[in-house]
Structures are given as C-alpha cells and as structure tokens.
Amino acid sequence: MGNDKSENQWTIVFFSGTGGTRRAARELKKQMDLQNLNPSIFELGAGEIPDSVIPSTLEGMHIILLFPIYAFDAPSILYEWMEKTSFTDCDFIVISVSGGGEIWPNTGCRSPLKGQIENKGGTVVHEAMLIMPCNFYIPGSDHMNMRLLNILPQKVETLIKDLMEKRYNHSKSRLGFFQRIVSAAEKTGAHYTGSKLKTDEKCTGCGICAMNCPKENIEIVSSRAVFKKSCILCMRCIYNCPEKAIVSDSSFVLKEGFNLEALEERMKGIEVQPLEQCAKGLLWKEVRKYLSAPEFD
Ligand SMILES: Cc1cc2nc3c(=O)[nH]c(=O)nc-3n(C[C@H](O)[C@H](O)[C@H](O)COP(=O)(O)O)c2cc1C
C-alpha cells in the first residue's frame, strides 16, 4: 500500500444478500476497531447502513470490498457502485465470500471486479476468499455451516495480520470462457427467475420484502408483493419473508430456507461433528481445506 495513506484511512464496503457477508464485514470492523484502525463501513443495497451515505469520491483510502460470489463473479450491485464513484489514489483489498471456496470454477471470481477497479484507476493490493454457509442450490450440513461461522473470527484475524504485515496475495487469475458465459447467463437468468417469483395466499402485504430489496424490484400492489424485472437473485426476500409466502420453482432456492440466526439456535448445545463427517464429498473439498488449515489446529 502507498506510504502516503495514513493508517486510519480504511473503508469497508460490502454487499450481502442473506447475511453471511454482513457477518464477515462486521467481524472485520470489530477486529480492526480493536486494533485502532477504525474503518468506516458501508453496506450496499438497502442494508442497515445505506449506500446513499457513501461518499461519491474516495481519496487516499484502503478500501476493503466484500461480496458474495454469484456464478463465479461479483454481484452487479458492486459494479454499479464502482461506476458512480470516483477513486483517487485508492488501494483495494478484494474479498469474495463463497459457499464452496477456491474450487474451480470459483477461482476466477474476483477477476472481473479487479478489472473494473483497475479501469477506475485503483490498485488491487490483496485478495482473499472467505467461506460462509451456502445459500444457493446445494446447502451444506448444519454442522459444517456451524464450523464455518465458528472459524470466521480466526480467518478475519489472519486477514488483518496479512494486511498489517503486507503479506499480499494478488493472483493473475482470469475468468475463463466458461465462467464468463455462466456469469452472463446468471445475470439474465436472475432477472427472469426473479420476475417469476410469486406470493401465495400467506402474503399479508407487510412490505418487508419490498423494503429490503437491494434493487427496489418489489412493489406492494393490492396487499400482495409484485416482482419486477431487475432481480439479482440475492435471495433476501425469499428467505426473510416472515410468512414464507414467496414461492419460486427454481431449484436454486433452498427449500429449507436460509437463516444464520436460526442455524445457531438449532445448533445451540449440540457438539459439532468432526470435519470428515460433516463435510463429505468432492463438492466440499475446498471447504474441508479451509476448515482444517494448519493455523486453526
Ligand atoms: C445467485 C447466487 C449465485 C451463487 N453462486 C455461487 C458460486 O458461483 N460459487 C459459490 O461458491 N457460491 C455461490 N453462491 C453462494 C453464496 O456466494 C454464498 O452462500 C455467500 O456466503 C452468500 O453470502 P450472503 O449471505 O452475504 O448473501 C451463490 C449464491 C447466489 C444467491
């Protein structure tokens, strides 16, 4: 990082659909505060810290971006924010939050955003991946997910240590052809899938979904939620509906829902299973590696 940036010029900017990335960002803020680094923190997309208050010009900052991976790429909301913000002499730390880890084809997931940062004159100095419970298509077991939540503070501690000691990792990985196709298809598919969401008779028209939608894609019409065409499939409306009234035919949506607080409640007082038992199979190979990294033995 440039020497001219003072130690306290840290900014965390994040987007989170269903809370995993928010937890990671908050943990980072908490630990950085303890080290008197005192970062500002901004949440994109109708979060509790509205992005409307993020300065439109950022200067001389270390900016830490955190986002969930959507189809091997960052959510479009990150690109939209970058587009409308100007950066002068900023160093970026790019943290992807994944359900599966550095498994191919996730490996290129930060590349397009890194390209955008460089186009805007920023410098990417470090990148890393955190793994949080998967909110999409294939759920992890409660035990594995609990392990991921439990290990987060240590992973964040390592990240901060790497930053402080300038132990940077900045790969040259690129998004391959297959990943680019899937990423583009996902964005179109999300608009389509989102526009086909419906509510059943349990919908009370309470408006929580509309209030929380990061794309202002939901309207309450005659006491029922109506879904428009700019959905990014962040899943926030579906999983947070208090009546479980939002229905989708898509196999991407976890039938059992997704709620980190409910997971912790279910797992209260239960001893987590050994890693080999709760994270079996090729799919969770990188998760096993992440959970059993030597520094956490
Ligand atoms: C539309 C969509 C696409 C996703 N694609 C990927 C992916 O390509 N690779 C991956 O590891 N996880 C993928 N995930 C899982 C999320 O990245 C992961 O669960 C993340 O922790 C969610 O963060 P959040 O709770 O902050 O929204 C996807 C999730 C969604 C909703």
Side-chain angles (χ1 to χ4, degrees):
M1 279 176 238
N3 292 331
D4 52 337
K5 296 177 190 74
S6 81
E7 285 305 305
N8 61 1
Q9 286 177 312
W10 292 88
T11 297
I12 299 172
V13 177
F14 72 97
F15 170 69
S16 177
T18 59
T21 312
R22 187 178 300 116
R23 278 199 183 210
R26 283 197 189 141
E27 181 64 33
L28 185 60
K29 162 82 175 143
K30 187 178 94 188
Q31 291 195 30
M32 288 181 82
D33 282 348
L34 287 173
Q35 298 194 31
N36 294 321
L37 295 165
N38 305 318
S40 312
I41 181 164
F42 300 105
E43 179 167 2
L44 301 173
E48 53 196 31
I49 315 162
D51 52 325
S52 57
V53 302
I54 309 183
S56 57
T57 302
L58 291 168
E59 202 173 333
M61 290 276 164
H62 309 306
I63 301 173
I64 309 180
L65 297 179
L66 295 100
F67 57 87
I69 308 181
Y70 288 175
F72 328 132
D73 197 352
S76 52
I77 217 156
L78 267 287
Y79 295 96
E80 288 157 13
W81 168 71
M82 292 217 71
E83 202 55 55
K84 64 181 188 204
T85 307
S86 61
F87 306 95
T88 310
D89 189 28
C90 287
D91 287 347
F92 285 78
I93 293 100
V94 182
I95 311 294
S96 50
V97 178
S98 152
E102 296 282 11
I103 194 172
W104 186 88
N106 276 344
T107 40
C109 66
R110 293 172 295 273
S111 294
L113 194 68
K114 287 191 297 185
Q116 172 89 342
I117 292 168
E118 278 150 20
N119 286 344
K120 296 277 297 188
T123 308
V124 178
V125 294
H126 186 64
E127 60 180 303
M129 189 182 285
L130 294 170
I131 308 181
M132 291 295 273
C134 189
N135 64 359
F136 175 79
Y137 199 39
I138 304 170
S141 71
D142 276 1
H143 288 261
M144 184 181 90
N145 287 342
M146 208 53 219
R147 280 183 173 272
L148 288 169
L149 296 188
N150 290 343
I151 210 165
L152 178 68
Q154 290 156 281
K155 292 287 180 183
V156 168
E157 194 185 323
T158 305
L159 169 65
I160 297 174
K161 216 164 157 211
D162 286 344
L163 295 180
M164 293 302 104
E165 293 171 7
K166 296 189 174 16
R167 231 177 315 126
Y168 298 143
N169 166 37
H170 177 203
S171 85
K172 295 242 179 301
S173 65
R174 287 180 204 292
L175 205 68
F177 179 70
F178 167 75
Q179 294 152 303
R180 276 207 303 277
I181 300 280
V182 175
S183 164
E186 189 271 341
K187 285 182 177 61
T188 316
H191 295 336
Y192 178 78
T193 307
S195 70
K196 297 279 169 224
L197 290 174
K198 289 190 188 68
T199 54
D200 63 20
E201 66 296 337
K202 297 197 286 306
C203 178
T204 61
C206 71
I208 289 178
C209 52
M211 207 167 63
N212 284 327
C213 175
K215 294 294 290 180
E216 298 181 11
N217 189 50
I218 308 174
E219 251 177 62
I220 304 299
V221 179
S222 311
S223 296
R224 290 287 280 266
V226 174
F227 300 85
K228 296 183 280 178
K229 290 192 172 133
S230 49
C231 179
I232 56 168
L233 215 59
C234 74
M235 311 280 185
R236 193 185 288 171
C237 60
I238 304 174
Y239 297 145
N240 281 341
C241 171
E243 306 300 332
K244 306 265 170 289
I246 302 177
V247 284
S248 165
D249 308 333
S250 168
S251 51
F252 297 146
V253 178
L254 302 183
K255 297 288 170 253
E256 55 278 25
F258 183 87
N259 182 314
L260 296 177
E261 286 73 33
L263 163 72
E264 286 169 313
E265 199 51 43
R266 281 199 299 280
M267 288 298 291
K268 225 179 223 165
I270 299 177
E271 199 186 328
V272 285
Q273 286 169 350
L275 193 52
E276 326 66 78
Q277 258 175 51
C278 67
K280 286 186 195 152
L282 199 60
L283 186 68
W284 304 119
K285 178 174 139 259
E286 286 300 317
V287 179
R288 280 198 299 280
K289 203 154 129 196
Y290 176 91
L291 286 170
S292 58
E295 66 263 40
F296 305 118
D297 279 349

